Amino acid sequence: MKVGLALSGGGARGVAHIGVLQALEEFGVHIDIVAGTSAGSIVGAMYAHGYKPSRILEIIQQITIFKSVRPAWNWSGLLRMDGMKELLLKYLPENSFEKLQIPLAVAATEIRKGELHYFSEGELVPAIMASCSIPAVFSPMPYREGLYIDGGVFDNLPVRAIHPKCDFLIGSHCNHIPTDFDPKNMKMVIERSLLMTIYANTLSSKGLCDVIIEPRNLGRYGSFEIGKAQEIFDIAYEYTKANFSEANFEAALNKP
């Protein structure tokens, strides 16, 4: 039986996927194929490379808004991801989908054609950067004769990229919408509005999952609060351990 894992986008909240992975490993769940969007593509690539969740957390904590981005000074975005590229190449030096220990699919949106693309072969790091190019924040990413922005625009939980290849599919979604929102400023209103819009395209994806893990209490963290990585990890890990057990994954564990 082949077990798949889909990891949503969510900026700094994507650290939650690492906590989910830690819990899944403790449950004895073996992942055979991964798909990720934006932050989920970073975590997914690190895991598919072979890094353990604890090591991925250490690596992610090195990605700060100051180290990983540079001013773009052009019409297409405010920042470019030179620092992120350097960091990804440091920890994914083969820069190849084919060199990963676990097959990976990465979702990105081609902005000129308005099309969703799933990448699963060839150069790895440019595909991840394309998937992470948040509109109006980062410059669109040129890649394979296309121009790409964040995969979350069309598919923030890329279940469809791997659904046909799985017998059992787990979705990790880090963008639960809290109902106690207090709009203190315009930044908060804009971020929540974008979160709600992106959330809409995950509803049908959730229906394709055998198990969906969606930790609560992450809504209070902003997309760039990577300094809160340990807190986000702990919330997701504790939520997964408290709400799931090995029995929830029995079908996945009892492989023929």
Side-chain angles (χ1 to χ4, degrees):
M1 177 173 284
K2 184 169 286 189
V3 180
L5 176 66
L7 307 174
S8 75
R13 291 183 296 274
V15 173
H17 301 316
I18 310 173
V20 170
L21 280 166
Q22 180 64 49
L24 290 177
E25 287 207 343
E26 292 176 12
F27 291 147
V29 178
H30 175 78
I31 304 300
D32 297 293
I33 186 168
V34 181
T37 292
S38 199
S41 73
I42 297 176
V43 175
M46 295 289 178
Y47 192 71
H49 180 274
Y51 291 114
K52 303 296 286 183
S54 59
R55 180 58 177 143
I56 300 173
L57 180 61
E58 293 175 358
I59 294 170
I60 294 295
Q61 286 174 316
Q62 298 180 40
I63 304 177
T64 71
I65 190 64
F66 302 107
K67 291 180 181 178
S68 301
V69 301
R70 303 285 187 274
W73 306 120
N74 59 43
W75 64 269
S76 57
L78 301 176
L79 303 166
R80 66 178 190 267
M81 294 184 287
D82 293 2
M84 183 180 290
K85 180 179 180 180
E86 294 167 6
L87 192 64
L88 290 172
L89 286 172
K90 178 180 179 180
Y91 292 103
L92 301 168
E94 295 87 357
N95 190 23
S96 169
F97 280 95
E98 288 79 9
K99 296 293 184 179
L100 296 172
Q101 295 183 19
I102 301 172
L104 171 72
V106 170
T109 303
E110 212 291 330
I111 191 169
R112 290 191 179 119
K113 297 179 180 179
E115 295 176 349
L116 174 66
H117 289 185
Y118 297 121
F119 297 109
S120 58
E121 58 184 23
E123 281 192 283
L124 173 61
V125 170
I128 296 171
M129 293 174 64
S131 185
C132 293
S133 294
I134 303 171
V137 176
F138 297 115
S139 297
M141 177 71 188
Y143 183 52
R144 296 188 185 179
E145 300 182 355
L147 192 64
Y148 291 90
I149 59 173
D150 198 301
V153 172
F154 276 162
D155 193 358
N156 201 45
L157 184 63
V159 171
R160 290 174 180 80
I162 58 174
H163 183 261
K165 304 173 183 178
C166 299
D167 302 299
F168 189 92
L169 211 162
I170 303 166
S172 177
H173 184 251
C174 62
N175 293 317
H176 173 71
I177 306 293
T179 57
D180 57 349
F181 176 67
D182 182 12
K184 295 180 180 179
N185 55 56
M186 185 56 65
K187 176 180 176 294
M188 292 176 65
V189 171
I190 292 172
E191 184 166 353
R192 180 173 173 86
S193 299
L194 291 173
L195 191 63
M196 291 169 66
T197 301
I198 289 174
Y199 182 80
N201 74 41
T202 68
L203 295 178
S204 59
S205 297
K206 287 182 180 182
L208 296 174
C209 295
D210 295 286
V211 172
I212 184 75
I213 303 174
E214 189 176 45
R216 304 302 193 260
N217 302 321
L218 295 178
R220 65 177 181 264
Y221 297 101
S223 297
F224 294 102
E225 289 191 85
I226 201 67
K228 302 292 181 65
Q230 187 65 57
E231 292 179 29
I232 296 170
F233 172 93
D234 291 341
I235 288 172
Y237 171 75
E238 291 166 7
Y239 174 87
T240 308
K241 293 288 283 189
N243 290 275
F244 299 89
S245 66
E246 287 190 20
N248 294 113
F249 306 100
E250 184 176 358
L253 295 171
N254 292 336
K255 297 182 180 182

